[in-house]
Amino acid sequence: MSVLTTTEVVIITILSLYPILGAMFWFWGAVAYVIFRRKNELKPDKKLNYEPFITIMVPAHNEEIVIENTLNFLLTKLNYHNYEVLVMDDGSTDKTPEILHRMQEQYPRLRVIRIKKNSGKAHAFNIGMFFAKGEYILSNDADTIPESDVLRKYMLYFTSPEGLNYAAITANMDVYNRTSILGKSQTVEFSSIVGIIKRSQTAVNDTMYAYSGANTMYRRDFLISVGGFRQDRATEDISIAWDHTFNNLTPKFAPDIVFHMNVPEGLIDLYHQRKRWAQGGTEVWLTNFMKVIRHPWRNRFVIPMMTDTTLSIIWSFFFWVTTIIFIIAMICFALQGNYERVFRGIIMSLIYVNFQMIAGIMQVLAALILDFKGVKLKYLLFAPIYLIFSWIVNPLTIVTTFVRAVQTIMGHGSGKWISPKRKAS
């Protein structure tokens, strides 16, 4: 019988404890944000002296159900005057082009660029970037509705003394379709991800793992300086965040700028969304890992982000391999009549899951308290659903998309997109 070496024991222990340690890291990161960074949020009475011109860019592919409602809001309900709305119609085959043509006749500040062949959100954005009139470009998804004061708040951040080096400002996401259990669970999830992880990353070393593609405003010059969006990536918002970080450009998370989004309410749509996210995360890891290894000091600010991503990918394979081994072992013990070993195995796994659950709930609780001043605390009841879902599905999506991510890095990727199923709001 072989005996594990000390190194092997340490590695297995780290991987086993990774979800618990990760949750506690984000929890204390949120505490650091409150202590060191919360003072950087906008004061309620702060005034904007002038209005820089802004382009709101809406990439769209087959968005006939939601596009009209979104554009009506963007064109009539914003407390800002100096802006345009630029829709990039990326090869839509439904009624989206007809809706856009009719709305252009009604709204002079609405511009539309028609791309004949669907080539992906990043491709559409890169084309629109050179047609945009604004020095600031807001990426606004077709199913996402901002609050009325968002443009003013963005400009207050960008025009502040600290904002001179802001490459992008990503806002807070709120889920508005909360009628289903999945919708309520994702309300907890977005508070946990946005409320904790982005706060922690910006609090620790002014980096950000991912922007939000639905609500990030970019300084146009800083988009051009990194060559725009990578068109062969599954997630343009993750890759651009890393590209900015490696060019020493500063991201900003603004929790007081709020957008309301429509999330997938079906398990299949949700799973496909998470597969895309997982593939995008693995792609940026593969793209940038050797940069950090070759020049660790130059890229020292990226090391915490790279370490977490590396552990997340390795742990995903570790989780599924050990889970399969555990299930096979329990079945073998049961067939042999060794029910005591089965009982012990189940008890030990439940103890481990309970420790994970406690750490995860601490992370979610901190997020719900910070996000929207605690008004979402009632959704804490749905935290266990989100935590169990994330522990099972997130590593599964990383494992199942890993080969595809490698193919992308080898030059066989595509940013082509298919819009999820929509419901009229």
Side-chain angles (χ1 to χ4, degrees), residues 333-402:
F333 288 137
L335 292 175
Q336 295 168 5
N338 193 347
Y339 299 114
E340 183 180 356
R341 292 292 299 271
V342 175
F343 178 75
R344 287 180 180 177
I346 293 174
I347 292 299
M348 291 301 295
S349 64
L350 288 176
I351 291 172
Y352 176 69
V353 169
N354 279 334
F355 275 108
Q356 280 188 282
M357 190 68 72
I358 291 170
I361 287 177
M362 286 182 65
Q363 173 187 343
V364 172
L365 180 61
L368 293 175
I369 290 173
L370 281 175
D371 222 24
F372 301 102
K373 300 180 180 178
V375 298
K376 292 184 181 178
L377 276 171
K378 60 183 178 181
Y379 294 107
L380 185 63
L381 293 173
F382 297 92
I385 299 174
Y386 153 63
L387 292 169
I388 292 172
F389 176 86
S390 64
W391 290 333
I392 295 175
V393 175
N394 288 356
L396 178 63
T397 58
I398 290 175
V399 170
T400 55
T401 60
F402 189 84

Side-chain angles (χ1 to χ4, degrees), residues 129-293:
M129 182 170 63
F130 292 100
F131 283 91
K133 297 177 181 178
E135 58 180 305
Y136 301 94
I137 300 176
L138 172 62
S139 175
N140 194 112
D141 280 358
D143 62 348
T144 303
I145 304 292
E147 295 195 344
S148 297
D149 60 351
V150 297
L151 297 186
R152 182 184 66 85
K153 287 184 175 180
Y154 276 122
M155 287 301 99
L156 283 171
Y157 279 116
F158 271 119
T159 58
S160 67
E162 299 83 6
L164 294 177
N165 196 42
Y166 288 160
I169 298 175
T170 196
N172 208 345
M173 295 302 299
D174 187 29
V175 175
Y176 67 71
N177 54 328
R178 307 176 191 170
T179 55
S180 65
I181 292 178
L182 275 180
K184 291 179 172 66
S185 300
Q186 287 176 85
T187 299
V188 173
E189 179 183 20
F190 276 96
S191 287
S192 180
I193 292 175
V194 175
I196 290 292
I197 295 179
K198 283 186 167 65
R199 281 181 172 92
S200 299
Q201 290 169 344
T202 54
V204 173
N205 57 2
D206 269 342
T207 58
M208 197 176 295
Y209 171 81
Y211 299 147
S212 171
N215 66 6
T216 297
M217 183 175 285
Y218 301 92
R219 196 186 297 271
R220 185 183 174 195
D221 289 347
F222 287 169
L223 271 181
I224 296 173
S225 68
V226 296
F229 294 92
R230 294 176 184 255
Q231 297 180 184
D232 60 346
R233 297 299 193 256
T235 50
E236 85 293 335
D237 44 4
I238 298 179
S239 62
I240 193 69
W242 285 65
D243 288 343
H244 276 164
T245 298
F246 276 98
N247 280 271
N248 295 318
L249 301 176
T250 305
K252 172 67 179 176
F253 172 56
D256 46 349
I257 302 178
V258 181
F259 285 66
H260 304 275
M261 71 179 301
N262 190 338
V263 297
E265 294 186 276
L267 281 173
I268 294 177
D269 286 335
L270 183 61
Y271 179 68
H272 284 309
Q273 180 194 64
R274 300 314 157 90
K275 282 181 66 177
R276 185 173 62 84
W277 291 2
Q279 182 180 336
T282 303
E283 287 169 358
V284 296
W285 178 74
L286 291 168
T287 301
N288 298 301
F289 183 78
M290 291 310 299
K291 291 182 184 178
V292 178
I293 297 299

